PDB file of all heavy atoms in Angstrom:
ATOM      1  N   ASP A  22     143.296  -1.600  27.074  1.00 96.00           N
ATOM      2  CA  ASP A  22     144.676  -2.064  27.249  1.00 96.00           C
ATOM      3  C   ASP A  22     145.577  -1.121  26.458  1.00 96.00           C
ATOM      4  O   ASP A  22     145.110  -0.336  25.630  1.00 96.00           O
ATOM      5  CB  ASP A  22     144.828  -3.504  26.738  1.00 96.00           C
ATOM      6  CG  ASP A  22     146.266  -4.001  26.830  1.00 96.00           C
ATOM      7  OD1 ASP A  22     146.896  -3.799  27.885  1.00 96.00           O
ATOM      8  OD2 ASP A  22     146.770  -4.585  25.864  1.00 96.00           O
ATOM      9  N   SER A  23     146.874  -1.275  26.665  1.00 94.00           N
ATOM     10  CA  SER A  23     147.834  -0.457  25.922  1.00 94.00           C
ATOM     11  C   SER A  23     147.873  -0.840  24.446  1.00 94.00           C
ATOM     12  O   SER A  23     148.348  -0.078  23.622  1.00 94.00           O
ATOM     13  CB  SER A  23     149.230  -0.630  26.521  1.00 94.00           C
ATOM     14  OG  SER A  23     149.570  -1.998  26.512  1.00 94.00           O
ATOM     15  N   GLY A  24     147.395  -2.027  24.124  1.00 92.00           N
ATOM     16  CA  GLY A  24     147.459  -2.453  22.715  1.00 92.00           C
ATOM     17  C   GLY A  24     146.548  -3.632  22.471  1.00 92.00           C
ATOM     18  O   GLY A  24     145.350  -3.578  22.753  1.00 92.00           O
ATOM     19  N   LEU A  25     147.157  -4.701  21.987  1.00 90.00           N
ATOM     20  CA  LEU A  25     146.389  -5.888  21.610  1.00 90.00           C
ATOM     21  C   LEU A  25     146.137  -6.857  22.761  1.00 90.00           C
ATOM     22  O   LEU A  25     145.215  -7.664  22.713  1.00 90.00           O
ATOM     23  CB  LEU A  25     147.187  -6.667  20.559  1.00 90.00           C
ATOM     24  CG  LEU A  25     147.238  -6.093  19.167  1.00 90.00           C
ATOM     25  CD1 LEU A  25     148.513  -6.540  18.458  1.00 90.00           C
ATOM     26  CD2 LEU A  25     146.020  -6.576  18.393  1.00 90.00           C
ATOM     27  N   GLY A  26     147.011  -6.816  23.768  1.00 91.00           N
ATOM     28  CA  GLY A  26     147.004  -7.839  24.811  1.00 91.00           C
ATOM     29  C   GLY A  26     145.658  -8.017  25.501  1.00 91.00           C
ATOM     30  O   GLY A  26     145.256  -9.141  25.812  1.00 91.00           O
ATOM     31  N   GLY A  27     144.943  -6.925  25.711  1.00 95.00           N
ATOM     32  CA  GLY A  27     143.660  -7.005  26.406  1.00 95.00           C
ATOM     33  C   GLY A  27     142.654  -7.867  25.669  1.00 95.00           C
ATOM     34  O   GLY A  27     141.634  -8.288  26.229  1.00 95.00           O
ATOM     35  N   ARG A  51     150.342   4.204  21.486  1.00 95.00           N
ATOM     36  CA  ARG A  51     151.246   4.555  22.593  1.00 95.00           C
ATOM     37  C   ARG A  51     151.805   3.323  23.308  1.00 95.00           C
ATOM     38  O   ARG A  51     152.448   3.445  24.346  1.00 95.00           O
ATOM     39  CB  ARG A  51     150.520   5.460  23.592  1.00 95.00           C
ATOM     40  CG  ARG A  51     150.002   6.732  22.937  1.00 95.00           C
ATOM     41  CD  ARG A  51     149.505   7.761  23.918  1.00 95.00           C
ATOM     42  NE  ARG A  51     148.325   7.337  24.662  1.00 95.00           N
ATOM     43  CZ  ARG A  51     147.526   8.176  25.310  1.00 95.00           C
ATOM     44  NH1 ARG A  51     147.788   9.468  25.281  1.00 95.00           N
ATOM     45  NH2 ARG A  51     146.477   7.728  25.973  1.00 95.00           N
ATOM     46  N   VAL A  52     151.506   2.116  22.750  1.00 92.00           N
ATOM     47  CA  VAL A  52     152.049   0.895  23.344  1.00 92.00           C
ATOM     48  C   VAL A  52     153.565   0.904  23.166  1.00 92.00           C
ATOM     49  O   VAL A  52     154.048   1.425  22.149  1.00 92.00           O
ATOM     50  CB  VAL A  52     151.417  -0.357  22.664  1.00 92.00           C
ATOM     51  CG1 VAL A  52     151.848  -0.514  21.209  1.00 92.00           C
ATOM     52  CG2 VAL A  52     151.673  -1.630  23.447  1.00 92.00           C
ATOM     53  N   PRO A  53     154.400   0.445  24.085  1.00 91.00           N
ATOM     54  CA  PRO A  53     154.032  -0.198  25.347  1.00 91.00           C
ATOM     55  C   PRO A  53     153.898   0.817  26.491  1.00 91.00           C
ATOM     56  O   PRO A  53     154.496   1.888  26.452  1.00 91.00           O
ATOM     57  CB  PRO A  53     155.242  -1.105  25.589  1.00 91.00           C
ATOM     58  CG  PRO A  53     156.399  -0.339  25.028  1.00 91.00           C
ATOM     59  CD  PRO A  53     155.853   0.405  23.835  1.00 91.00           C
ATOM     60  N   TYR A  54     153.116   0.436  27.498  1.00 92.00           N
ATOM     61  CA  TYR A  54     153.015   1.239  28.714  1.00 92.00           C
ATOM     62  C   TYR A  54     154.098   0.804  29.723  1.00 92.00           C
ATOM     63  O   TYR A  54     154.546   1.598  30.546  1.00 92.00           O
ATOM     64  CB  TYR A  54     151.655   1.020  29.399  1.00 92.00           C
ATOM     65  CG  TYR A  54     150.464   1.723  28.779  1.00 92.00           C
ATOM     66  CD1 TYR A  54     150.542   2.398  27.562  1.00 92.00           C
ATOM     67  CD2 TYR A  54     149.232   1.708  29.444  1.00 92.00           C
ATOM     68  CE1 TYR A  54     149.420   3.026  27.022  1.00 92.00           C
ATOM     69  CE2 TYR A  54     148.114   2.340  28.918  1.00 92.00           C
ATOM     70  CZ  TYR A  54     148.199   2.990  27.711  1.00 92.00           C
ATOM     71  OH  TYR A  54     147.098   3.614  27.192  1.00 92.00           O
ATOM     72  N   GLY A  55     154.456  -0.482  29.640  1.00 88.00           N
ATOM     73  CA  GLY A  55     155.260  -1.112  30.697  1.00 88.00           C
ATOM     74  C   GLY A  55     156.645  -0.539  30.908  1.00 88.00           C
ATOM     75  O   GLY A  55     157.260  -0.787  31.944  1.00 88.00           O
ATOM     76  N   THR A  56     157.140   0.236  29.960  1.00 88.00           N
ATOM     77  CA  THR A  56     158.471   0.810  30.128  1.00 88.00           C
ATOM     78  C   THR A  56     158.373   2.277  30.553  1.00 88.00           C
ATOM     79  O   THR A  56     159.384   2.953  30.697  1.00 88.00           O
ATOM     80  CB  THR A  56     159.228   0.740  28.779  1.00 88.00           C
ATOM     81  OG1 THR A  56     158.357   1.230  27.755  1.00 88.00           O
ATOM     82  CG2 THR A  56     159.632  -0.682  28.431  1.00 88.00           C
ATOM     83  N   ARG A  57     157.167   2.787  30.731  1.00 92.00           N
ATOM     84  CA  ARG A  57     156.988   4.219  31.030  1.00 92.00           C
ATOM     85  C   ARG A  57     156.892   4.496  32.527  1.00 92.00           C
ATOM     86  O   ARG A  57     156.756   3.577  33.331  1.00 92.00           O
ATOM     87  CB  ARG A  57     155.727   4.739  30.325  1.00 92.00           C
ATOM     88  CG  ARG A  57     155.826   4.606  28.820  1.00 92.00           C
ATOM     89  CD  ARG A  57     154.603   5.170  28.142  1.00 92.00           C
ATOM     90  NE  ARG A  57     154.551   4.744  26.762  1.00 92.00           N
ATOM     91  CZ  ARG A  57     155.151   5.370  25.755  1.00 92.00           C
ATOM     92  NH1 ARG A  57     155.825   6.473  25.969  1.00 92.00           N
ATOM     93  NH2 ARG A  57     155.056   4.900  24.527  1.00 92.00           N
ATOM     94  N   ALA A  84     142.281  -4.154  31.283  1.00 97.00           N
ATOM     95  CA  ALA A  84     142.793  -5.470  30.865  1.00 97.00           C
ATOM     96  C   ALA A  84     144.280  -5.362  30.574  1.00 97.00           C
ATOM     97  O   ALA A  84     144.764  -5.822  29.544  1.00 97.00           O
ATOM     98  CB  ALA A  84     142.035  -5.961  29.635  1.00 97.00           C
ATOM     99  N   CYS A  85     144.977  -4.749  31.484  1.00 96.00           N
ATOM    100  CA  CYS A  85     146.392  -4.455  31.307  1.00 96.00           C
ATOM    101  C   CYS A  85     147.079  -4.666  32.653  1.00 96.00           C
ATOM    102  O   CYS A  85     146.724  -4.005  33.645  1.00 96.00           O
ATOM    103  CB  CYS A  85     146.544  -2.999  30.854  1.00 96.00           C
ATOM    104  SG  CYS A  85     148.251  -2.466  30.695  1.00 96.00           S
ATOM    105  N   GLY A  86     148.017  -5.596  32.687  1.00 95.00           N
ATOM    106  CA  GLY A  86     148.718  -5.878  33.934  1.00 95.00           C
ATOM    107  C   GLY A  86     149.442  -4.655  34.448  1.00 95.00           C
ATOM    108  O   GLY A  86     149.507  -4.410  35.661  1.00 95.00           O
ATOM    109  N   THR A  87     149.976  -3.867  33.541  1.00 94.00           N
ATOM    110  CA  THR A  87     150.755  -2.700  33.928  1.00 94.00           C
ATOM    111  C   THR A  87     149.869  -1.654  34.615  1.00 94.00           C
ATOM    112  O   THR A  87     150.173  -1.181  35.714  1.00 94.00           O
ATOM    113  CB  THR A  87     151.433  -2.092  32.672  1.00 94.00           C
ATOM    114  OG1 THR A  87     152.198  -3.121  32.046  1.00 94.00           O
ATOM    115  CG2 THR A  87     152.307  -0.929  33.027  1.00 94.00           C
ATOM    116  N   VAL A  88     148.757  -1.314  33.984  1.00 96.00           N
ATOM    117  CA  VAL A  88     147.829  -0.328  34.576  1.00 96.00           C
ATOM    118  C   VAL A  88     147.312  -0.869  35.909  1.00 96.00           C
ATOM    119  O   VAL A  88     147.282  -0.154  36.920  1.00 96.00           O
ATOM    120  CB  VAL A  88     146.655  -0.030  33.609  1.00 96.00           C
ATOM    121  CG1 VAL A  88     145.578   0.784  34.309  1.00 96.00           C
ATOM    122  CG2 VAL A  88     147.153   0.696  32.369  1.00 96.00           C
ATOM    123  N   VAL A 106     143.222  -6.595  36.764  1.00 96.00           N
ATOM    124  CA  VAL A 106     143.542  -8.007  36.561  1.00 96.00           C
ATOM    125  C   VAL A 106     144.478  -8.607  37.619  1.00 96.00           C
ATOM    126  O   VAL A 106     144.610  -9.824  37.684  1.00 96.00           O
ATOM    127  CB  VAL A 106     144.135  -8.249  35.140  1.00 96.00           C
ATOM    128  CG1 VAL A 106     143.046  -8.167  34.091  1.00 96.00           C
ATOM    129  CG2 VAL A 106     145.271  -7.318  34.803  1.00 96.00           C
ATOM    130  N   GLY A 127     155.875 -10.347  33.989  1.00 96.00           N
ATOM    131  CA  GLY A 127     155.154  -9.149  33.561  1.00 96.00           C
ATOM    132  C   GLY A 127     156.111  -8.148  32.948  1.00 96.00           C
ATOM    133  O   GLY A 127     157.292  -8.440  32.737  1.00 96.00           O
ATOM    134  N   THR A 128     155.591  -6.965  32.690  1.00 93.00           N
ATOM    135  CA  THR A 128     156.437  -5.884  32.162  1.00 93.00           C
ATOM    136  C   THR A 128     157.311  -5.339  33.301  1.00 93.00           C
ATOM    137  O   THR A 128     157.081  -5.663  34.476  1.00 93.00           O
ATOM    138  CB  THR A 128     155.561  -4.742  31.618  1.00 93.00           C
ATOM    139  OG1 THR A 128     154.811  -4.194  32.705  1.00 93.00           O
ATOM    140  CG2 THR A 128     154.617  -5.220  30.532  1.00 93.00           C
ATOM    141  N   ASN A 129     158.261  -4.485  32.961  1.00 92.00           N
ATOM    142  CA  ASN A 129     159.117  -3.888  33.992  1.00 92.00           C
ATOM    143  C   ASN A 129     158.289  -3.187  35.062  1.00 92.00           C
ATOM    144  O   ASN A 129     158.520  -3.362  36.253  1.00 92.00           O
ATOM    145  CB  ASN A 129     160.057  -2.846  33.370  1.00 92.00           C
ATOM    146  CG  ASN A 129     161.133  -3.506  32.549  1.00 92.00           C
ATOM    147  OD1 ASN A 129     161.394  -4.702  32.701  1.00 92.00           O
ATOM    148  ND2 ASN A 129     161.751  -2.749  31.667  1.00 92.00           N
ATOM    149  N   THR A 131     155.193  -3.590  35.947  1.00 94.00           N
ATOM    150  CA  THR A 131     154.406  -4.532  36.753  1.00 94.00           C
ATOM    151  C   THR A 131     155.293  -5.231  37.778  1.00 94.00           C
ATOM    152  O   THR A 131     154.950  -5.315  38.969  1.00 94.00           O
ATOM    153  CB  THR A 131     153.744  -5.583  35.821  1.00 94.00           C
ATOM    154  OG1 THR A 131     152.832  -4.890  34.987  1.00 94.00           O
ATOM    155  CG2 THR A 131     153.020  -6.658  36.605  1.00 94.00           C
ATOM    156  N   VAL A 159     156.188  -8.416  24.894  1.00 91.00           N
ATOM    157  CA  VAL A 159     155.142  -7.581  24.281  1.00 91.00           C
ATOM    158  C   VAL A 159     155.479  -7.253  22.815  1.00 91.00           C
ATOM    159  O   VAL A 159     154.647  -7.473  21.924  1.00 91.00           O
ATOM    160  CB  VAL A 159     154.859  -6.302  25.118  1.00 91.00           C
ATOM    161  CG1 VAL A 159     153.970  -5.327  24.355  1.00 91.00           C
ATOM    162  CG2 VAL A 159     154.204  -6.682  26.435  1.00 91.00           C
ATOM    163  N   GLU A 163     153.128  -8.199  19.631  1.00 82.00           N
ATOM    164  CA  GLU A 163     152.605  -7.131  18.771  1.00 82.00           C
ATOM    165  C   GLU A 163     153.092  -7.326  17.330  1.00 82.00           C
ATOM    166  O   GLU A 163     152.450  -6.893  16.380  1.00 82.00           O
ATOM    167  CB  GLU A 163     153.024  -5.747  19.297  1.00 82.00           C
ATOM    168  CG  GLU A 163     152.415  -5.373  20.664  1.00 82.00           C
ATOM    169  CD  GLU A 163     151.031  -4.716  20.582  1.00 82.00           C
ATOM    170  OE1 GLU A 163     150.733  -4.040  19.591  1.00 82.00           O
ATOM    171  OE2 GLU A 163     150.240  -4.893  21.533  1.00 82.00           O
ATOM    172  N   LEU A 195     150.628 -15.188  34.418  1.00 98.00           N
ATOM    173  CA  LEU A 195     150.942 -14.412  33.217  1.00 98.00           C
ATOM    174  C   LEU A 195     150.482 -12.997  33.545  1.00 98.00           C
ATOM    175  O   LEU A 195     149.320 -12.642  33.352  1.00 98.00           O
ATOM    176  CB  LEU A 195     150.213 -14.996  32.003  1.00 98.00           C
ATOM    177  CG  LEU A 195     150.462 -16.500  31.749  1.00 98.00           C
ATOM    178  CD1 LEU A 195     149.615 -17.005  30.587  1.00 98.00           C
ATOM    179  CD2 LEU A 195     151.932 -16.768  31.484  1.00 98.00           C
ATOM    180  N   GLY A 196     151.390 -12.199  34.107  1.00 97.00           N
ATOM    181  CA  GLY A 196     151.026 -10.898  34.681  1.00 97.00           C
ATOM    182  C   GLY A 196     150.857  -9.784  33.663  1.00 97.00           C
ATOM    183  O   GLY A 196     150.651  -8.635  34.028  1.00 97.00           O
ATOM    184  N   CYS A 197     150.948 -10.137  32.405  1.00 95.00           N
ATOM    185  CA  CYS A 197     150.719  -9.167  31.337  1.00 95.00           C
ATOM    186  C   CYS A 197     149.722  -9.820  30.380  1.00 95.00           C
ATOM    187  O   CYS A 197     149.869 -11.009  30.049  1.00 95.00           O
ATOM    188  CB  CYS A 197     152.041  -8.887  30.632  1.00 95.00           C
ATOM    189  SG  CYS A 197     151.855  -7.993  29.081  1.00 95.00           S
ATOM    190  N   THR A 198     148.731  -9.050  29.966  1.00 93.00           N
ATOM    191  CA  THR A 198     147.655  -9.658  29.166  1.00 93.00           C
ATOM    192  C   THR A 198     148.098 -10.019  27.744  1.00 93.00           C
ATOM    193  O   THR A 198     147.354 -10.672  27.017  1.00 93.00           O
ATOM    194  CB  THR A 198     146.429  -8.731  29.132  1.00 93.00           C
ATOM    195  OG1 THR A 198     146.860  -7.415  28.737  1.00 93.00           O
ATOM    196  CG2 THR A 198     145.770  -8.658  30.487  1.00 93.00           C
ATOM    197  N   HIS A 199     149.284  -9.607  27.363  1.00 92.00           N
ATOM    198  CA  HIS A 199     149.817 -10.063  26.070  1.00 92.00           C
ATOM    199  C   HIS A 199     150.306 -11.518  26.150  1.00 92.00           C
ATOM    200  O   HIS A 199     150.420 -12.184  25.132  1.00 92.00           O
ATOM    201  CB  HIS A 199     151.015  -9.208  25.647  1.00 92.00           C
ATOM    202  CG  HIS A 199     150.666  -7.898  25.013  1.00 92.00           C
ATOM    203  ND1 HIS A 199     150.080  -6.867  25.692  1.00 92.00           N
ATOM    204  CD2 HIS A 199     150.840  -7.454  23.735  1.00 92.00           C
ATOM    205  CE1 HIS A 199     149.918  -5.832  24.885  1.00 92.00           C
ATOM    206  NE2 HIS A 199     150.364  -6.171  23.686  1.00 92.00           N
ATOM    207  N   TYR A 200     150.655 -11.969  27.347  1.00 95.00           N
ATOM    208  CA  TYR A 200     151.389 -13.232  27.454  1.00 95.00           C
ATOM    209  C   TYR A 200     150.600 -14.512  27.162  1.00 95.00           C
ATOM    210  O   TYR A 200     151.218 -15.496  26.735  1.00 95.00           O
ATOM    211  CB  TYR A 200     152.055 -13.350  28.837  1.00 95.00           C
ATOM    212  CG  TYR A 200     153.111 -12.310  29.150  1.00 95.00           C
ATOM    213  CD1 TYR A 200     153.747 -12.282  30.384  1.00 95.00           C
ATOM    214  CD2 TYR A 200     153.496 -11.342  28.216  1.00 95.00           C
ATOM    215  CE1 TYR A 200     154.725 -11.337  30.690  1.00 95.00           C
ATOM    216  CE2 TYR A 200     154.458 -10.381  28.523  1.00 95.00           C
ATOM    217  CZ  TYR A 200     155.066 -10.381  29.761  1.00 95.00           C
ATOM    218  OH  TYR A 200     156.023  -9.441  30.062  1.00 95.00           O
TER     219      TYR A 200
HETATM  220  N1  DGL B 573     148.974  -5.706  28.081  1.00 53.97           N
HETATM  221  C1  DGL B 573     149.895  -4.865  28.799  1.00 53.97           C
HETATM  222  C2  DGL B 573     150.097  -5.427  30.188  1.00 53.97           C
HETATM  223  O1  DGL B 573     149.321  -6.289  30.569  1.00 53.97           O
HETATM  224  C3  DGL B 573     151.027  -4.698  27.897  1.00 53.97           C
HETATM  225  C4  DGL B 573     152.235  -4.124  28.371  1.00 53.97           C
HETATM  226  C5  DGL B 573     152.697  -2.815  27.843  1.00 53.97           C
HETATM  227  O2  DGL B 573     151.975  -2.034  27.267  1.00 53.97           O
HETATM  228  O3  DGL B 573     153.879  -2.595  28.089  1.00 53.97           O
HETATM  229  O4  DGL B 573     150.942  -5.045  30.949  1.00 53.97           O
END
Side-chain angles (χ1 to χ4, degrees):
D22 177 46
S23 57
L25 286 153
R51 302 190 295 198
V52 68
Y54 283 8
T56 48
R57 299 182 194 273
C85 176
T87 305
V88 170
V106 286
T128 63
N129 288 342
T131 296
V159 170
E163 294 273 330
L195 305 176
C197 167
T198 51
H199 279 68
Y200 297 178

